[in-house]
Amino acid sequence: MSESKWPQAGRERLIVPAPVGLAGTGKENPEEALMRQLDERHVMMMGDNPALPRMPARPTLLDYFKLRLHGVTLRHLLVSAGRALDAGHSEKTVLACLLHDISNSSLIRADHGYWGAQMIAPYVDEEIAWAVRYHQALRYFADESVGYAYPESYHRFFGRDYVPPEYIRRDAEYARGHRWYMTSRLITLYDIYFFEDSAVPEVERFADIIGRHFRQPDEGLGFDDSPSAHMWRTLIWPNNFL
């Protein structure tokens, strides 16, 4: 695609990183320095970034998987959903596994279960969004009845003396008594972080399940004015200044 077909053509487009990505890192926020560069040739980036694949006008969930999710977390979601499908679980459980870490891969890691549940809530059965929300808390607590142990990877990630905060303990206790507990618990069972020996399925393997259980808006995901549409638009244009 020629430069003239991109927004703000002919000028250098400056990207200010999201503050949440710099907080606590010790790295200097470049916003003031970038502001001083603004002139007729330099502008803050708005709209499509040619460094990213361009999204279609009416994007679907599959488009986000193919064009915006990436890396270890994308492979993790596909493997988790594939294992749940192979084990014969319900399609709602498979979709919950496919979507449980969608915020990790595309938006924000902190409190990813809560963010992810909000992203998908307008488009899925309430049980699926609930399971995604509470898998975050349940990850920290074993359930021997289904063969779920505290992840060894968490010892590496956080240290053996790590104790989850009070809100995580509270939400895990609440989830244990809920009628949808097992749906969320199954997410944790297939929430496999290290899968070097696992074949990674293509997202198309889940296309029919998505079609049956994900309410794709006619306007395109991000343009339907749902309570979470802005979160999906952020994935389309993650470098927008405002």
Side-chain angles (χ1 to χ4, degrees):
M1 179 173 293
S2 66
E3 183 184 10
S4 63
K5 293 185 178 180
W6 294 99
Q8 303 170 300
R11 286 165 285 185
E12 183 175 347
R13 304 165 74 208
L14 309 177
I15 297 176
V16 178
V20 71
L22 295 175
T25 66
K27 296 179 181 179
E28 183 178 357
N29 190 325
E31 182 173 358
E32 290 186 18
L34 292 172
M35 293 283 279
R36 290 193 291 270
Q37 294 184 43
L38 296 176
D39 55 26
E40 291 300 315
R41 291 284 301 168
H42 298 81
V43 296
M44 295 300 188
M45 182 173 288
M46 297 294 286
D48 291 320
N49 182 347
L52 297 171
R54 184 168 248 173
M55 295 286 282
R58 296 182 179 182
T60 67
L61 180 62
L62 286 174
D63 291 322
Y64 283 95
F65 264 85
K66 294 175 181 178
L67 302 176
R68 285 299 182 269
L69 275 66
H70 53 81
V72 171
T73 306
L74 172 59
R75 298 196 301 273
H76 164 66
L77 291 177
L78 295 171
V79 169
S80 296
R83 290 189 174 190
L85 183 60
D86 291 342
H89 291 294
S90 71
E91 292 189 346
K92 287 199 294 186
T93 297
V94 172
L95 186 58
C97 288
L98 183 66
L99 298 176
H100 75 277
D101 278 356
I102 192 168
S103 176
N104 269 2
S105 183
S106 61
L107 190 62
I108 193 169
R109 298 189 68 88
D111 272 342
H112 69 281
Y114 302 90
W115 282 93
Q118 284 188 302
M119 287 178 69
I120 66 174
Y123 312 105
V124 298
D125 185 272
E126 184 181 359
E127 180 179 353
I128 295 173
W130 187 96
V132 168
R133 174 185 173 95
Y134 286 97
H135 94 275
Q136 178 173 339
L138 291 174
R139 284 285 296 165
Y140 294 95
F141 300 95
D143 185 342
E144 295 180 358
S145 71
V146 296
Y148 179 75
Y150 184 85
E152 181 61 31
S153 59
Y154 277 20
H155 292 311
R156 294 193 294 272
F157 292 164
F158 313 127
R160 292 190 177 273
D161 58 348
Y162 177 74
V163 177
E166 189 278 333
Y167 77 93
I168 290 290
R169 301 195 300 272
R170 177 201 66 209
D171 282 0
E173 184 62 27
Y174 165 76
R176 282 184 179 274
H178 198 278
R179 69 185 186 279
W180 293 331
Y181 166 71
M182 191 51 64
T183 308
S184 194
R185 174 52 77 192
L186 285 170
I187 292 177
T188 71
L189 193 64
Y190 296 103
D191 200 357
I192 310 299
Y193 280 103
F194 299 100
F195 42 82
E196 290 85 352
D197 297 329
S198 299
V200 181
E202 298 293 332
V203 70
E204 283 82 4
R205 184 183 183 195
F206 311 103
D208 288 345
I209 291 175
I210 291 171
R212 286 189 287 270
H213 298 282
F214 191 93
R215 295 184 286 274
Q216 172 66 37
D218 293 338
E219 305 92 330
L221 193 53
F223 301 102
D224 53 315
D225 201 30
S226 80
S228 65
H230 62 285
M231 302 170 80
W232 297 94
R233 288 196 303 271
T234 297
L235 307 191
I236 299 175
W237 299 302
N239 307 122
N240 274 6
F241 182 58
L242 295 174

